[in-house]
Structure formats: structure tokens, C-alpha cells
């Protein structure tokens, strides 16, 4: 009979969270490497190269793959013969592990969890509490899956209660395009079928902990109806042409995982949750012999991909930027930004809105400036700033017309597509929206040479910073005429895939 000690569990959870913050799972790297090799879209291939290069940099530097270091999910399968250290509070013990993992001074992770979610939305400052799921099973050990789930991909979760006669495949293929690119494809889709509403969602999340094996599955062929459905959905979703970062291409998903459970005769619950390019999870076992140990992967596991800017990229001096220059940017064009760049996310935009409504002066002059939607990780050692990748831009859509009209802002940088209202505001004000690659946060941070808080310091990572950048890579995602590459790119590649019968299958 195993005795599980509190300190062993705390240390294991803390070490697991550190480990997954900077090491991609090997199966993900292999699958993404295969996607890179077969990708024919220049824009998507460049995005995948940035993700892979960022991944290797993070492994070498032991810094987070993404600035959104996630909300912690813990799945425990507890053997019924396990004994716990007397007086131990299991939930509190796991949360102490989370606290230590996120506050580690050598690799401090971003605190993104807010208490009182419907009202004050107060940051807990240590990323606690975790979301914990328990299952009792036979045996005398504890198995754990620990994951850090990014908010951008979690926001794209879907659930439907289908009629029993409805097509699951048809619903998934219709639902995926509505997710946009804020989940940072290429990633995985976890799907739960059956049970009840909450059971389906839980299965979809748990499915994301399973290894990527689509290439192996296709090589040997399906052995069950579920495996047939996995292959069908994988092929059909990739045939949509959404591609890496939603720019259009051959690889939107690297795998589709499915879990099922018996359900009521009147129901067909189906849940779908995506995992992003910052896929972070690890499995380990506690048997009473001590804390878990995590073996660092070999750098040989990383595909031999080293991103560098295209020779055709256009260099932009942010300190001398003019409206006529912004109007000359073309959809899909790669820019390298240098100079002073402001930052701001949801909370900062809301404060700006409130100040303008009261007729009060703004703490920062935005005229002819560019704002970057980012909440960076705190720096460690000699860093200017920690990993600082883009956040989902659509959350700022409702503020876009105000910012362009009232502050004189010239352009914005974020992740994924913009909605119709934001695109219309960009067109009306002859501004532009630039896209940085989600999942390349440490690579972006390498372009930031100086950083200082210039307003709303109390907002922590949501404060307004001024970054001084050198050759920060971005893509013109919406130009001054309102043309969006997140609309034109996938449409063009979906057509190419159909007309040319391009391969979208796992290599």
C-alpha cells in the first residue's frame, strides 16, 4: 500500500508545470515537423517555422513557449489502495504545487487566473486555483496528467446537443471555421461524444492529453468506427484550407482525438475543444517512492528548422511612421518593425474608453502609433522582457473604432483574425492590422530591446508598456482598404486543395 506524501505531490506538480512551460511534447514536434515539410503555403510555412524555432529557443533557454502560460488542469486517477499523509488536503496540496511552479524565480510564469470571474476579476497572482478532476480506480498508485491550457484555445471550445440522427462529422466541419484562428492552429481537436453535457466536455478535454498518432493510425488503418471517424475528421478539417495561424494552407489540425461514453436515447451530446500551438501537458505516476522525475528531451528531437526573415520583408521605422506609409502596406506582406511600440489589452482598452467618456486626458499619446495586444511574462535574469507573444485580437474589436477615431492610432498588432466591425473601422480610418505568430512568444521577445511601463501599472501584465523593438516580424493581416488575409487565404487554399487534389493527410 503506497503512502503519498504532500511534499512529493507538491514538488511533482511544480516541476511538471515548469517542464511543460518550455518543452513541447515530442509527439507534437514530430507532427509539426511533418506538417512543415509538406506545407506548400508560403505564409503558413513561415508561421510553422517561427513556432518550431521558438520551441527550440525555449527548450534551450528554459523559458515559456507562450506568454499565456495557461490555467492549470489536473486529471488524477487515484488507486483505491493509496494512503495519503495524515491531515493532507489534496486540493490545497495541488494548488501549492501550482503556486510554487508559477512563482519559480528562475522561470516565473505569467499569472492569468482571476478570482470573482463575473465581477471584480481579481488576479490571484500565483495562477491558483487549478481545475482538478478526480477518478477512483483499482490499484495503489496515483496517475496524473497535468496541463496548462491557454485562454485563446479554451475560448474556442464548442458544445452541441445533436439529435441522434444528426451527423457528428457535419457539425464538426461546420463548427471549425467559426473558431477562427485564435486557437493558434495547427494543433489538436479533442472531441467528447455521449454522456451528458458536462461529461462530453470533460472527455473532450481529457482527449487532448492523448499522444498524437495520426500518422501511425493512417499507416496501419482504422480498427474501429471511432478511428474511422478520427481519420474522416482529420482529412475534412484540413481540407478546409484554414492552415497555420489561419493564413491558408494544408495543415490546420495535426490530430483529432475522440472519447465516447454511453448516453440517453434522446440525446447526442458532442463537445469539441482545441489545443493550440503551445500544447503543454505531461503524464506521471506517484507510487510512494518519492516525487516524479522529468527527463529533459534531447535537442535532437527538434526538427532542423531555423526561421529567418524573408529577404522580401519590408522594414518599418515606427518612430517615423506616417499614414501614407500605412496605406501602402499590402495584404500578406511581411514587415519587420523597429522603434517604439505601445502595448495594451482588454483592461487597458476599457480604461481608455472610460477616460474618454469622462472627458479626461489619456496617459499616453497614441497618435500615429502602433499598439501591440500583449501581456508579457515577467523578465528573469538579464532579460528586458519575458516571452511576449500576441493575444487574440478579436477581444479588442469592440474598442477598435474608438481607438482609431478618438486617439489617432495608426495600426494594431495581435493574433488571428479581426471581426467585421473591426475590419470596417480599419477601412474607414485607413489604418491596418498586423498579425504576429501565436506560439512564437520567446522568438518575439528576442526582438524587444527595451521595455518600460508607461500607464496603468496596477494592471500588471495588462498595463500599457512601451517596447523598443528591432526587426519584429509581423504580417499585414488587414490592409487600409479592409482586405483580410484570414478571409482570402483560407478561401484560396480550400479551392486549391479541391482543384489540385493537394495532400492534406499525415505524412
Amino acid at each position: 500500500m503506497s503512502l503519498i506524501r504532500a511534499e512529493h505531490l507538491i514538488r511533482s506538480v511544480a516541476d511538471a508545470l515548469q517542464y511543460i512551460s518550455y518543452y513541447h511534447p515530442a509527439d507534437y514536434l514530430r507532427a509539426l515537423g511533418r506538417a512543415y515539410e509538406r506545407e506548400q503555403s508560403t505564409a503558413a510555412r513561415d508561421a510553422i517555422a517561427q513556432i518550431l524555432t521558438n520551441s527550440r529557443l525555449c527548450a534551450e533557454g528554459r523559458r515559456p513557449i507562450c506568454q499565456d502560460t495557461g490555467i492549470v488542469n489536473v486529471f488524477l486517477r487515484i488507486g483505491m489502495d493509496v494512503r495519503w499523509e495524515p491531515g493532507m488536503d489534496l486540493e490545497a496540496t495541488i494548488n501549492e504545487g501550482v503556486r510554487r511552479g508559477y512563482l519559480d524565480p528562475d522561470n516565473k510564469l505569467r499569472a492569468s487566473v482571476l478570482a470573482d470571474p463575473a465581477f471584480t476579476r481579481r488576479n490571484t497572482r500565483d495562477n491558483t486555483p487549478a481545475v482538478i478532476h478526480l477518478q477512483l480506480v483499482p490499484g495503489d498508485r496515483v496517475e496524473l496528467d497535468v496541463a496548462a491550457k491557454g485562454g485563446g484555445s479554451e475560448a474556442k471550445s464548442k458544445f452541441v446537443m445533436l439529435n441522434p440522427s444528426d451527423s457528428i462529422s457535419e457539425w464538426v466541419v461546420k463548427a471549425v471555421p467559426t473558431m477562427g484562428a485564435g486557437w493558434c492552429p495547427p494543433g489538436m481537436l479533442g472531441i467528447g461524444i455521449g454522456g451528458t453535457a458536462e461529461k462530453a466536455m470533460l472527455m473532450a478535454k481529457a482527449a487532448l492529453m492523448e499522444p498524437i498518432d495520426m500518422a501511425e493510425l493512417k499507416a496501419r488503418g482504422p480498427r474501429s468506427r471511432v478511428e474511422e471517424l478520427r481519420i474522416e475528421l482529420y482529412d475534412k478539417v484540413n481540407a478546409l484550407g484554414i492552415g497555420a495561424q489561419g493564413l491558408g494552407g494544408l495543415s490546420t489540425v495535426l490530430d483529432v482525438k475522440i472519447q465516447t461514453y454511453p448516453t440517453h436515447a434522446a440525446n447526442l451530446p458532442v463537445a469539441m475543444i482545441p489545443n493550440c500551438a503551445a500544447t503543454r501537458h505531461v503524464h506521471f505516476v506517484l507510487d510512494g517512492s518519492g516525487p516524479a522525475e522529468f527527463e529533459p528531451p534531447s535537442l535532437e528531437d527538434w526538427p532542423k528548422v531555423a526561421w529567418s526573415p524573408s529577404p522580401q520583408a519590408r522594414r518599418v521605422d515606427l518612430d517615423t511612421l506616417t499614414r501614407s506609409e500605412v496605406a501602402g502596406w499590402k495584404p500578406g506582406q511581411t514587415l519587420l518593425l523597429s522603434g517604439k511600440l505601445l502595448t495594451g489589452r482588454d483592461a487597458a482598452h476599457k480604461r481608455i474608453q472610460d477616460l474618454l467618456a469622462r472627458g479626461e486626458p489619456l496617459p499616453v499619446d497614441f497618435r500615429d502609433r502602433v499598439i501591440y495586444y500583449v501581456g508579457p511574462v515577467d523578465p528573469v535574469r538579464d532579460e528586458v522582457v519575458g516571452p511576449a507573444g500576441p493575444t487574440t485580437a478579436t477581444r479588442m474589436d469592440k474598442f477598435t473604432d474608438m481607438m482609431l477615431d478618438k486617439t489617432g492610432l495608426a495600426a494594431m498588432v495581435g493574433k488571428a483574425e479581426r471581426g467585421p466591425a473591426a475590419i470596417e473601422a480599419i477601412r474607414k480610418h485607413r489604418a491596418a492590422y498586423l498579425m504576429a505568430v501565436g506560439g512564437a512568444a520567446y522568438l518575439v521577445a528576442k526582438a524587444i530591446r527595451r521595455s518600460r511601463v508607461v500607464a496603468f501599472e496596477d494592471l500588471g501584465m495588462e498595463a500599457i508598456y512601451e517596447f523598443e523593438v528591432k526587426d519584429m516580424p509581423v504580417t499585414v493581416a488587414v490592409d487600409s482598404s479592409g482586405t483580410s488575409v484570414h478571409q482570402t487565404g483560407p478561401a484560396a487554399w480550400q479551392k486549391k486543395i479541391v482543384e489540385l487534389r493537394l495532400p492534406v493527410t499525415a505524412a
Side-chain angles (χ1 to χ4, degrees):
M1 186 174 289
S2 301
L3 174 66
I4 307 299
R5 300 190 180 278
E7 186 58 32
H8 293 168
L9 178 56
I10 290 168
R11 181 174 158 187
S12 299
V13 170
D15 289 351
L17 292 168
Q18 281 288 306
Y19 184 88
I20 64 177
S21 77
Y22 42 71
Y23 291 141
H24 264 129
D27 58 332
Y28 178 83
L29 292 173
R30 287 191 296 269
L32 192 58
R34 289 192 293 264
Y36 176 80
E37 291 300 325
R38 67 175 178 268
E39 185 57 69
Q40 297 183 36
S41 162
T42 301
R45 189 174 167 88
D46 182 83
I48 295 173
Q50 288 194 44
I51 294 168
L52 286 170
T53 302
N54 178 78
S55 178
R56 186 182 178 97
L57 288 172
C58 293
E60 293 171 337
R62 296 200 171 191
R63 291 294 274 145
I65 294 165
C66 181
Q67 80 290 337
D68 180 356
T69 52
I71 183 170
V72 177
N73 288 241
V74 181
F75 289 81
L76 296 101
R77 286 169 295 281
I78 302 171
M80 289 187 287
D81 293 330
V82 164
R83 292 189 301 118
W84 299 95
E85 186 174 359
M88 182 174 162
D89 181 325
L90 181 57
E91 187 170 329
T93 301
I94 291 171
N95 283 326
E96 178 58 27
V98 174
R99 183 176 297 107
R100 291 191 195 179
Y102 274 73
L103 298 181
D104 188 315
D106 288 331
N107 181 40
K108 190 174 180 182
L109 306 180
R110 197 184 80 180
S112 302
V113 172
L114 307 181
D116 193 22
F119 301 104
T120 60
R121 295 180 65 82
R122 175 182 50 81
N123 197 303
T124 63
R125 301 294 181 182
D126 56 12
N127 227 54
T128 63
V131 178
I132 302 169
H133 304 286
L134 307 175
Q135 183 181 3
L136 289 176
V137 297
D140 63 351
R141 63 183 197 166
V142 181
E143 293 188 48
L144 295 95
D145 284 294
V146 173
K149 190 68 163 60
S153 60
E154 190 74 359
K156 304 303 181 179
S157 302
K158 302 288 183 182
F159 174 79
V160 66
M161 188 65 78
L162 295 175
N163 291 317
S165 60
D166 291 340
S167 167
I168 295 169
S169 176
E170 184 178 314
W171 176 76
V172 171
V173 172
K174 286 182 178 179
V176 169
T178 70
M179 290 159 48
W183 60 283
C184 289
M188 293 170 63
L189 293 180
I191 296 177
I193 303 171
T196 52
E198 79 283 2
K199 178 66 175 178
M201 292 298 289
L202 186 58
M203 289 189 294
K205 178 63 67 67
L208 294 173
M209 309 298 120
E210 297 174 12
I212 295 173
D213 64 351
M214 182 55 69
E216 294 80 1
L217 172 58
K218 294 200 119 186
R220 68 164 168 80
R223 296 172 180 165
S224 67
R225 296 292 299 277
V226 167
E227 290 187 344
E228 289 176 4
L229 181 58
R230 284 180 58 200
I231 293 172
E232 177 188 353
L233 292 176
Y234 173 85
D235 289 342
K236 286 182 175 179
V237 169
N238 281 328
L240 293 170
I242 294 167
Q245 303 292 302
L247 294 170
L250 301 181
S251 292
T252 302
V253 291
L254 303 176
D255 204 342
V256 178
K257 314 301 291 192
I258 299 175
Q259 292 189 8
T260 67
Y261 196 82
T263 193
H264 191 283
N267 302 141
L268 180 53
V270 183
M272 179 168 64
I273 303 177
N275 234 2
C276 62
T279 293
R280 294 169 296 214
H281 60 88
V282 68
H283 175 84
F284 60 93
V285 175
L286 297 179
D287 59 8
S289 61
E293 296 184 2
F294 301 94
E295 185 72 24
S298 167
L299 290 178
E300 295 302 310
D301 292 341
W302 270 258
K304 303 299 186 288
V305 176
W307 176 85
S308 60
S310 165
Q312 287 75 46
R314 176 175 175 174
R315 284 185 159 79
V316 173
D317 185 347
L318 296 171
D319 299 332
T320 61
L321 186 64
T322 64
R323 289 309 185 102
S324 61
E325 185 177 0
V326 172
W329 295 342
K330 304 299 182 185
Q333 185 177 24
T334 300
L335 308 180
L336 298 174
L337 307 181
S338 296
K340 293 183 174 63
L341 178 70
L342 294 170
T343 79
R345 287 172 38 118
D346 314 53
H349 280 74
K350 180 63 169 64
R351 283 205 183 169
I352 291 167
Q353 182 182 61
D354 292 344
L355 288 171
L356 290 171
R358 295 195 298 265
E360 298 177 14
L362 299 181
V364 180
D365 184 0
F366 291 95
R367 188 162 303 280
D368 296 331
R369 302 289 297 274
V370 177
I371 194 168
Y372 180 28
Y373 303 148
V374 63
V377 176
D378 288 343
V380 298
R381 297 181 288 278
D382 58 349
E383 290 179 342
V384 171
V385 67
T391 197
T392 306
T394 49
R395 298 205 314 276
M396 270 54 73
D397 279 6
K398 65 182 180 181
F399 302 109
T400 300
D401 188 65
M402 172 199 75
M403 291 296 293
L404 296 177
D405 183 43
K406 304 297 184 184
T407 74
L409 192 69
M412 301 145 283
V413 181
K415 179 183 77 174
E417 74 284 348
R418 303 307 298 265
I423 291 173
E424 173 55 24
I426 290 166
R427 185 202 62 78
K428 182 174 70 174
H429 296 285
R430 303 287 290 168
Y433 166 61
L434 312 174
M435 189 211 79
V437 171
Y442 199 37
L443 181 65
V444 171
K446 297 291 187 183
I448 302 170
R449 304 305 170 85
R450 292 187 179 83
S451 171
R452 67 187 183 101
V453 175
V454 293
F456 310 149
E457 186 172 7
D458 62 297
L459 294 180
M461 61 93 174
E462 292 212 62
I464 296 178
Y465 292 75
E466 184 178 74
F467 290 163
E468 188 170 328
V469 299
K470 177 67 175 177
D471 290 344
M472 175 179 165
V474 295
T475 298
V476 180
V478 182
D479 74 348
S480 61
S481 68
T483 300
S484 168
V485 299
H486 287 99
Q487 295 172 358
T488 59
W493 276 93
Q494 185 175 25
K495 186 177 180 182
K496 285 183 184 181
I497 289 167
V498 172
E499 290 179 349
L500 304 177
R501 296 184 180 180
L502 293 174
V504 294
T505 57

